[in-house]
């Protein structure tokens, strides 16, 4: 395993600014790991067989409900599953023949995934390009007789800003439509930032018109991966999220989540993390993240050619470049041992780099700013990615379904991206530049082929 992991990004220390969340407190991770292993082989499929699952879930879901305005919840494997259940519940409650989902363009793709799986049309709503927040009036205009759910984010992941939840929820309620707040990132963060002194507007089930909320504990709850909660204001809506089947001669099937058999390890890890940190621990981590975010925004704004997008209201920061190719900057940072997450341009929002500030970031924020400044200067000297003439048009016009993986790999190699097993980590600036120049549907098709090549046969 050590050999297999030798090229992995580090999960501790704060140099990877996405995907992993680090408290900087080794004893908390150790407690979670012990609890995870203790519950590893316990199956959540049948709570009557394993009552420990029921008690732990009650405590974990209860802690989230206490923080986010009450409600009735389900422990899930992550934000995508929490969102899937919220969308399913809304669809099943509405019983529309052609249901649709109204959401900002900044809403997480998990909603598109849920809509794809559940046969729902997505109605995207633009955001204000000065604030990156959706406007309630635009949401209202998008709602029709087939709308089964309205979505807002607290915060939206791309720029870390909070949609006007009270206004959007009021519009949804006025139309008789449920409103889901995606607080997967912010649910277990914003209350602690508020306690640490940040101005955080109301966003949870205490807001009139908000009918469900998703909150990931494996983000700013710092639990091991596989831990999220979806809360419903109405217990009847929670029941809509469940699935039961009696149309077979085997054991009883009643599932609270998309999965049937699932390890209780993530539940044990989340339970132990909440116990280990406690309220005071989360307040301290929130304060540290708030201070680090302020310093990061100040430092990035002082680097020539870089600017922060919007006014982040959480500990998520995105910045773009003026005269600096941010995709090249990301490669330069990675060569220096730091991972900054690229985000493609979309709906008038420029390509940018995303940083998730966690509890451990404060100790390394000056080192991060130094790397960003050095990488920005190196990217300026290298210049932007120059794609071969006609490449984007060629890729956009390809019937990718007619290409096998070997042919696609050859096409990638022609622009210097070797995807073959054992070739090592390619620089991603060229890949991101091609993707950024393509329309969304073509991006998706290329990404599917990219993943297929990465995993191989």
């Amino acid at each position: 395993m050590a050999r297999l992991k030798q090229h992995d990004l580090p999960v501790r220390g704060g140099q990877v600014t996405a995907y992993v969340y680090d408290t900087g407190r080794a004893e908390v991770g150790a407690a979670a790991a012990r609890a995870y292993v203790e519950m590893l082989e316990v199956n959540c499929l049948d709570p009557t067989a394993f009552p420990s699952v029921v008690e732990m879930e009650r405590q974990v879901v209860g802690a989230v409900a206490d923080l986010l305005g009450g409600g009735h919840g389900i422990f899930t494997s992550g934000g995508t599953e929490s969102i899937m259940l919220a969308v399913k519940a809304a669809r099943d409650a509405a019983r529309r023949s052609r249901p649709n989902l109204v959401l900002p363009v900044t809403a997480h793709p998990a909603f598109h995934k849920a809509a794809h799986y559940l046969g729902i049309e997505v109605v995207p709503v633009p955001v204000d390009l000065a604030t990156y927040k959706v406007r309630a009036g635009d949401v209202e205009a998008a709602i029709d007789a087939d709308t089964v759910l309205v979505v807002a984010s607290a915060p939206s992941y791309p720029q870390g800003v909070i949609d006007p939840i009270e206004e959007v929820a009021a519009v949804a309620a006025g139309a008789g439509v449920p409103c889901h707040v995606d607080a997967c990132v912010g649910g277990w963060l914003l209350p602690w930032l508020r306690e640490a002194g940040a101005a955080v507007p109301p966003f949870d089930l205490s807001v009139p018109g908000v009918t469900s909320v998703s909150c990931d504990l494996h983000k700013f709850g710092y639990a091991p991966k596989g831990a999220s909660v979806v809360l419903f204001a109405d217990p009847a809506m929670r029941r809509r999220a469940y699935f039961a089947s009696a149309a077979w001669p085997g054991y009883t099937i009643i599932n609270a989540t998309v999965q049937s058999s699932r390890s209780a390890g993530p539940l044990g890890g989340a339970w132990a993390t909440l116990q280990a940190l406690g309220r005071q621990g989360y307040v301290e981590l929130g304060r540290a993240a708030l201070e680090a975010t302020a310093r990061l925004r100040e430092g990035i704004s002082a680097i020539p050619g870089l600017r922060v997008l919007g006014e982040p209201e959480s500990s998520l920061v995105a910045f773009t470049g003026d005269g600096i190719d941010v995709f090249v900057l990301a490669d330069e940072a990675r060569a220096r041992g730091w991972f900054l997450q690229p985000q493609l341009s979309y709906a008038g929002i420029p390509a940018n780099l995303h940083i998730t500030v966690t509890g451990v970031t404060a100790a390394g924020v000056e080192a991060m700013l130094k790397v960003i400044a050095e990488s920005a200067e190196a990217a300026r000297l290298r210049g932007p990615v120059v794609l071969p003439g006609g490449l984007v048009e060629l890729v956009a016009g390809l019937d990718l379904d007619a290409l096998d993986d070997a042919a696609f790999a050859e096409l990638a190699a022609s622009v210097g991206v070797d995807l073959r097993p054992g070739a090592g980590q390619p620089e991603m600036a060229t890949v991101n530049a091609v993707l950024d120049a393509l329309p969304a549907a073509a991006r998706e098709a290329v990404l599917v082929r990219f993943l297929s090549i990465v995993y191989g046969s």
Side-chain angles (χ1 to χ4, degrees), residues 11-64:
V11 298
R12 295 284 181 264
Q15 289 179 241
V16 176
T17 63
Y19 311 127
V20 292
Y21 294 75
D22 185 9
T23 62
R25 303 180 182 194
E27 69 280 7
V28 174
R34 290 197 304 274
Y36 195 111
V37 172
E38 180 69 25
M39 300 298 290
L40 180 64
E41 296 184 65
V42 174
N43 192 341
C44 294
L45 175 61
D46 186 349
T48 67
F50 303 103
S52 63
V53 169
V54 175
E55 183 55 33
M56 282 190 178
E57 179 158 340
R58 281 177 177 166
Q59 291 186 31
V60 170
V61 170
V64 177

Side-chain angles (χ1 to χ4, degrees), residues 134-154:
V134 75
R135 291 170 289 235
D138 291 340
V139 172
E140 186 173 27
I143 296 172
D144 63 22
D146 291 318
T147 302
V148 298
L149 187 66
V150 165
V151 173
S153 304

Side-chain angles (χ1 to χ4, degrees), residues 193-245:
L193 295 186
R194 182 187 288 135
E195 192 156 330
V200 175
F203 69 91
D204 56 24
L205 288 177
S206 65
V207 175
V210 173
T211 55
S212 56
V213 174
S214 48
C215 169
D216 286 2
L217 294 173
H218 63 209
K219 290 188 171 73
F220 287 98
Y222 298 102
K225 290 300 179 189
S228 179
V229 169
V230 56
L231 294 174
F232 296 94
D234 183 352
M237 283 295 276
R238 179 175 67 168
R239 293 194 294 273
R240 296 284 188 184
Y242 293 167
F243 172 81
S245 179

Side-chain angles (χ1 to χ4, degrees), residues 39-400:
M39 300 298 290
L40 180 64
E41 296 184 65
V42 174
N43 192 341
C44 294
L45 175 61
D46 186 349
T48 67
F50 303 103
S52 63
V53 169
V54 175
E55 183 55 33
M56 282 190 178
E57 179 158 340
R58 281 177 177 166
Q59 291 186 31
V60 170
V61 170
V64 177
D66 287 346
L67 200 65
L68 299 182
H72 312 267
I74 302 170
F75 183 85
T76 76
S77 65
T80 295
E81 189 172 26
S82 289
I83 286 166
M84 184 81 69
L85 295 176
V87 174
K88 175 192 178 298
R91 183 202 65 175
D92 290 0
R95 299 180 182 178
R96 299 287 191 270
S97 59
R98 301 183 64 184
N100 69 56
L101 181 64
V102 172
L103 46 72
V105 294
T106 50
H108 196 278
F111 290 98
H112 294 262
K113 188 175 185 177
H116 176 74
Y117 284 1
L118 296 169
I120 300 173
E121 179 191 357
V122 172
V123 180
V125 178
V127 296
D128 185 313
L129 293 179
T131 64
Y132 304 102
K133 300 181 183 186
V134 75
R135 291 170 289 235
D138 291 340
V139 172
E140 186 173 27
I143 296 172
D144 63 22
D146 291 318
T147 302
V148 298
L149 187 66
V150 165
V151 173
S153 304
S156 57
Y157 185 86
Q159 285 77 45
V161 298
I162 302 171
D163 285 325
I165 304 299
E166 292 177 301
E167 297 173 29
V168 171
V171 161
V177 177
C179 177
H180 179 83
V181 173
D182 175 16
C184 286
V185 174
W188 203 261
L189 171 67
L190 294 175
W192 311 118
L193 295 186
R194 182 187 288 135
E195 192 156 330
V200 175
F203 69 91
D204 56 24
L205 288 177
S206 65
V207 175
V210 173
T211 55
S212 56
V213 174
S214 48
C215 169
D216 286 2
L217 294 173
H218 63 209
K219 290 188 171 73
F220 287 98
Y222 298 102
K225 290 300 179 189
S228 179
V229 169
V230 56
L231 294 174
F232 296 94
D234 183 352
M237 283 295 276
R238 179 175 67 168
R239 293 194 294 273
R240 296 284 188 184
Y242 293 167
F243 172 81
S245 179
W248 83 315
Y251 62 90
T252 304
I253 294 291
I254 171 64
N255 301 143
T257 66
V258 175
Q259 301 172 81
S260 291
S261 282
R262 55 192 174 108
S263 170
L267 175 60
W271 181 88
T273 305
L274 295 182
Q275 305 296 325
L277 278 168
R279 184 179 188 87
Q280 186 57 38
Y282 283 114
V283 171
E284 291 169 0
L285 289 168
R287 185 174 292 110
L290 193 63
E291 292 171 357
T293 303
R295 174 65 189 117
L296 191 63
R297 289 176 58 188
E298 175 190 32
I300 290 172
S301 298
I303 297 171
L306 301 184
R307 62 183 174 89
V308 173
L309 295 178
E311 296 289 334
E313 297 168 278
S314 59
S315 61
L316 307 180
V317 177
F319 66 93
T320 192
D322 296 318
I324 294 173
D325 187 327
V326 290
F327 299 143
V328 176
L329 192 161
D331 279 349
E332 289 288 340
R334 180 147 187 175
R336 290 164 172 79
W338 290 74
F339 178 83
L340 307 176
Q341 187 179 47
Q343 297 189 137
L344 305 178
S345 61
Y346 187 72
I349 302 170
N352 59 84
L353 298 179
H354 186 279
I355 296 172
T356 300
V357 178
T358 68
V360 78
T361 306
V365 69
E366 298 303 330
M368 184 189 299
L369 285 169
K370 182 174 183 292
V371 165
I372 293 173
E374 291 174 355
S375 300
E377 183 57 28
R380 190 198 309 277
L381 293 174
R382 279 177 57 178
V385 170
V386 178
L387 299 174
L391 175 65
V392 172
E393 292 76 13
L394 171 66
V395 174
L398 281 175
D399 179 3
L400 290 176

